[in-house]
């Protein structure tokens, strides 16, 4: 006999069903951000747009996603978790389906925005559901399982996306979400309790604060996404930096003098909330920097295709999936502090190891490094979420979840923007070093040029001559120097990320290691 919803919610397995819904929703939302990247070249060709224009398929989603997250806290307090969660699924489903058959680039951007409106609600509300149905001393375990979806999705995105793009149709990257979304919607409809608060939430929405912080985040993320492409000192980037800074200052002034606030800012007075989010932002920056740089190095320098690059990223996902639940259980028993520290140190070691990459970098080395990095990240994920969420009172959890996700997104955007810019800066540095060495060793330089000209270009095999033709020896030498400069730049950036992770480990030591927290 089928139990009614009330009895079902009291069953000991009910919270694990809720966790399965939360994992599925979060996996779908994060996967969509990453799976689209590999299809961008195909979209450029299909829609007839250039690299700068096609970027807006990513940027429109990222900006909308980060802004709408701020609404989820108010919606959860006013309408409970079920209605906003199911509305998010519907928006995500509609956006995905319409993106799949978008006839033009502009219409695609509109549907990506609709998709982002839905995607923005899935992750923070999933965190709220975990906090609601799991006790404080059980949340580490639950979040360890939940973070599998969060961290596995970025690694699996290139594999799934690469398969659809290479062997099926690029539009399948959007249609892929539809059957998953339908199952998720029906599961939520049947299983989630109707939880509209019996006492209406009386607080009015802070429209002024929301508009100002939305402008601030939107322009900030635009700068971080487009600064490298449009050049950091260009007029449009400087203007957006000015707007972002001015809107943030205006937001602070409005929130100081307003009686209604967009968020509960008293959370930042809590030591664990503040230090946990510092670790959260450093972790996000380091993770997405490596997820951004490593596939490019594998494809452009080691000459693997997108599908192979995706498979080489897969050990990271497997390691995260294995380490996260274990870390969650240990965190529940002994507290999150030392796990976060250990994870950051392992993450640092993996980045220092990548600092030695070269043309001779082997597949076993990459797999070993991915496993080491995955274990490190797996040790951080659940403990850092436990630190942030358990530092908030139960009624503050929607705000804590929203702020956690916004800061994670900002950290990721800063990481990607910084790593791209630093890569260019370090390549220029290495080029200058090589130029100085050539001046000091001019005769050796001439010997190399003669070798290229006589032994390689003239006497090389037919394949070599076909590849090099009609390049002269100076152009070939210039290409080689640029490649070695770029490889050196990759090593420098990964080493810098290692030091960033050490800073994250130091921040983790500032966390107050509370094992059990009464709510």
């Amino acid at each position: 006999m089928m139990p009614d919803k009330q009895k079902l919610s009291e069953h000991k397995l009910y919270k694990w069903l809720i966790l399965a819904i939360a994992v599925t929703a979060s996996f779908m939302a994060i996967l969509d951000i990453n799976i689209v990247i590999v299809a961008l070249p195909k979209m450029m060709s299909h829609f007839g747009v250039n690299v700068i224009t096609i970027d807006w398929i990513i940027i429109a989603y990222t900006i909308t996603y980060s802004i709408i997250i701020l609404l989820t806290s108010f919606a959860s307090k006013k309408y409970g978790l079920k209605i906003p969660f199911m509305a998010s699924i519907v928006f995500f489903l509609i956006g995905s389906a319409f993106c799949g058959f978008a006839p033009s680039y502009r219409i695609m951007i509109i549907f990506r925005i609709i998709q982002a409106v839905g995607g923005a609600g899935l992750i923070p509300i999933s965190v709220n559901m975990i906090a609601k149905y799991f006790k404080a001393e059980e949340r580490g375990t639950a979040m360890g399982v939940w973070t599998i979806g969060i961290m596995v999705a970025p690694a699996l995105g290139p594999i799934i996306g690469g398969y659809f793009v290479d062997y099926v149709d690029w539009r399948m990257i959007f249609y892929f979400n539809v059957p998953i979304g339908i199952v998720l919607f029906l599961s939520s409809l049947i299983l989630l309790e109707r939880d509209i608060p019996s006492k209406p939430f009386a607080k009015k929405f802070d429209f002024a604060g929301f508009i100002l912080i939305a402008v601030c985040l939107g322009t900030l993320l635009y700068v971080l996404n487009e600064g490298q492409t449009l050049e950091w000192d260009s007029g449009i980037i400087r203007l957006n930096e000015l707007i972002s800074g001015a809107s943030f200052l205006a937001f602070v002034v409005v929130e100081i003098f307003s009686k209604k606030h967009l968020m509960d800012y008293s959370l930042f007075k809590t030591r664990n909330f503040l230090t946990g989010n510092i670790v959260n932002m450093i972790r996000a920056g380091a993770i997405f920097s490596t997820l951004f740089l490593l596939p490019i190095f594998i494809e452009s320098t080691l000459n693997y295709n997108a599908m192979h690059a995706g498979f080489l990223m897969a050990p990271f996902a497997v390691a995260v999936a294995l380490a996260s639940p274990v870390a969650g259980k240990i965190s529940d028993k002994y507290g999150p502090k030392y796990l976060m520290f250990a994870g950051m140190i392992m993450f640092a070691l993996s980045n220092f190891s990548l600092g030695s990459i070269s043309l001779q970098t082997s597949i076993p080395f990459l797999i070993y490094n991915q496993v080491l990095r995955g274990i490190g990240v797996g040790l951080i994920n659940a403990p850092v979420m436990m630190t942030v969420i358990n530092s908030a009172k139960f009624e503050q959890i929607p705000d804590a979840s929203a702020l956690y996700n916004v800061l994670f997104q900002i950290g990721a955007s800063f990481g990607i923007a910084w790593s791209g810019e630093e890569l260019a800066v370090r390549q220029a540095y290495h080029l200058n070093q090589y130029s100085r060495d050539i001046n000091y060793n001019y005769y050796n330089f001439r010997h190399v040029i003669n070798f290229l000209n006589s032994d390689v270009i003239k006497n090389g095999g037919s394949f070599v001559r076909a590849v090099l033709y009609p390049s002269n020896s100076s152009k070939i030498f210039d290409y080689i120097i640029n490649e070695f400069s770029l490889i050196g730049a990759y090593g420098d950036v990964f080493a810098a990320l290692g030091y960033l992770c050490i800073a994250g480990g130091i921040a983790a030591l500032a966390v107050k290691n509370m094992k059990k927290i009464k709510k």
Side-chain angles (χ1 to χ4, degrees):
M1 189 173 183
M2 188 70 180
D4 59 32
K5 289 182 183 178
Q6 183 61 33
K7 290 181 180 177
L8 181 63
S9 66
E10 295 173 355
H11 195 280
K12 63 181 180 180
L13 294 178
Y14 181 73
K15 60 186 176 184
W16 297 105
L17 293 174
I18 298 301
L19 180 59
I21 290 173
V23 169
T24 304
S26 303
F27 176 83
M28 186 172 67
I30 294 293
L31 181 70
D32 187 79
I33 296 173
N34 294 273
I35 200 173
V36 172
I37 295 172
V38 297
L40 292 180
K42 289 279 188 180
M43 292 186 197
M44 284 171 57
S45 174
H46 182 86
F47 293 124
V49 295
N50 59 27
V51 175
I52 295 176
T53 305
I54 202 68
D55 271 0
W56 276 95
I57 287 178
I58 302 295
I59 295 169
Y61 188 98
T62 303
I63 291 175
T64 306
Y65 177 93
S66 300
I67 291 171
I68 298 299
I69 282 178
L70 298 171
L71 295 173
T72 60
S73 174
F74 182 84
S76 298
K77 292 174 185 176
K78 190 171 182 65
Y79 303 107
L81 299 179
K82 182 172 184 175
I83 291 176
F85 188 69
M86 293 186 66
S88 297
I89 297 171
V90 169
F91 272 100
F92 193 82
L93 266 174
I94 293 172
S96 297
F98 279 80
C99 280
F101 60 80
S104 69
Y105 171 76
R106 285 185 172 84
I107 293 176
M108 170 67 82
I109 295 298
I110 293 171
F111 292 144
R112 281 288 283 171
I113 291 171
I114 293 171
Q115 191 185 32
V117 169
L122 295 177
I123 294 178
I125 297 176
S126 294
V127 174
N128 292 345
M129 290 194 297
I130 293 172
K132 178 178 179 180
Y133 291 102
F134 286 84
K135 297 176 182 178
E137 60 270 21
E138 299 174 325
R139 288 176 191 159
T141 302
M143 288 173 181
V145 176
W146 179 78
T147 52
I148 293 175
I150 292 293
M151 288 292 102
V152 168
L156 292 185
I159 299 176
I160 298 171
Y163 174 77
F164 285 144
V165 170
D166 291 341
Y167 302 110
V168 189
D169 183 0
W170 66 264
R171 294 184 182 273
M172 279 299 298
I173 63 174
F174 297 110
Y175 293 139
F176 177 76
N177 294 322
V178 175
I180 300 174
I182 291 172
V183 172
L184 186 63
F185 178 84
L186 293 175
S187 301
S188 303
L189 180 66
I190 294 168
L191 293 174
L192 290 183
E193 296 177 291
R194 182 179 172 84
D195 61 344
I196 298 177
S198 55
K199 184 179 180 181
F201 184 63
K203 183 180 175 182
K204 293 182 179 180
F205 185 67
D206 181 10
F207 282 103
F210 174 72
I211 291 170
L212 288 170
I213 200 64
V215 171
C216 173
L217 284 175
T219 50
L220 174 63
L221 292 172
Y222 174 80
V223 167
L224 294 174
N225 279 280
E226 290 292 88
Q228 180 71 19
T229 305
L230 301 177
E231 296 185 1
W232 294 100
D233 59 350
S234 64
I236 188 67
I237 294 298
R238 294 296 189 197
L239 176 62
N240 277 276
E241 287 174 344
L242 181 63
I243 294 172
S244 181
S247 56
F248 179 74
L249 290 175
F251 170 76
V252 171
V253 172
V254 166
E255 295 300 287
I256 288 173
F257 293 101
S258 176
K259 292 182 179 179
K260 51 187 179 182
H261 298 120
L262 188 64
M263 294 283 171
D264 186 351
Y265 307 113
S266 65
L267 283 164
F268 287 103
K269 296 179 182 178
T270 307
R271 174 175 162 181
N272 275 14
F273 184 84
L274 180 60
T275 53
N277 271 306
I278 291 172
V279 176
N280 173 37
M281 292 183 72
I282 291 174
R283 171 195 62 147
I287 288 172
F288 281 87
S289 292
T290 50
L291 288 175
F292 167 66
L293 291 175
L294 202 52
I296 297 174
F297 176 81
I298 291 170
E299 291 178 47
S300 64
T301 303
L302 300 183
N303 291 319
Y304 290 97
N305 63 25
M307 194 78 170
H308 287 144
F311 280 117
L312 286 174
M313 298 296 286
F316 168 74
V318 174
V320 170
L322 294 174
S324 291
V326 176
K329 278 190 170 293
I330 296 173
S331 184
D332 282 336
K333 189 171 183 180
Y334 298 106
K337 178 176 183 175
Y338 297 110
L339 278 171
M340 285 192 291
F341 176 75
M344 277 295 184
I345 295 303
M346 290 186 72
F347 198 179
L349 290 175
S350 74
N351 280 312
F352 287 134
S353 176
L354 284 173
S356 66
I357 55 176
S358 67
L359 289 174
Q360 285 73 47
T361 295
S362 64
I363 289 178
F365 172 84
L366 290 173
I367 292 173
Y368 154 76
N369 188 275
Q370 293 288 70
V371 171
L372 180 64
R373 184 161 59 94
I375 293 173
V377 171
L379 292 180
I380 301 166
N381 287 336
V384 75
M385 286 197 64
M386 177 182 171
T387 300
V388 172
I389 299 302
N390 282 357
S391 67
K393 297 175 182 177
F394 184 77
E395 62 272 14
Q396 294 175 309
I397 286 176
D399 287 342
S401 173
L403 287 168
Y404 172 88
N405 283 283
V406 168
L407 293 172
F408 180 90
Q409 186 63 50
I410 292 172
S413 297
F414 265 107
I416 293 170
W418 173 85
S419 58
E421 173 67 13
E422 189 65 10
L423 190 68
V425 170
R426 296 305 297 177
Q427 184 181 15
Y429 167 80
H430 285 289
L431 280 171
N432 288 331
Q433 294 295 103
Y434 280 121
S435 176
R436 185 194 66 183
D437 292 341
I438 289 168
N439 288 331
Y440 285 145
N441 301 280
Y442 180 75
Y443 288 107
N444 290 335
F445 164 70
R446 292 309 310 171
H447 285 310
V448 172
I449 292 295
N450 291 334
F451 168 75
L452 291 172
N453 193 42
S454 60
D455 291 0
V456 177
I457 295 178
K458 287 184 179 179
N459 301 324
S462 58
F463 173 77
V464 174
R465 290 197 301 272
V467 171
L468 297 179
Y469 181 82
S471 299
N472 59 41
S473 54
S474 296
K475 288 182 180 177
I476 296 169
F477 185 81
D478 183 62
Y479 170 78
I480 293 171
I481 293 298
N482 271 283
E483 281 296 295
F484 276 107
S485 298
L486 182 59
I487 291 168
Y490 275 112
D492 292 347
V493 174
F494 282 124
L497 289 172
Y499 289 111
L500 177 67
C501 290
I502 288 178
I506 294 170
L509 292 177
V511 169
K512 190 174 182 181
N513 204 29
M514 299 174 69
K515 300 175 191 176
K516 292 187 178 181
I517 302 170
K518 301 294 183 183
K519 294 293 181 200

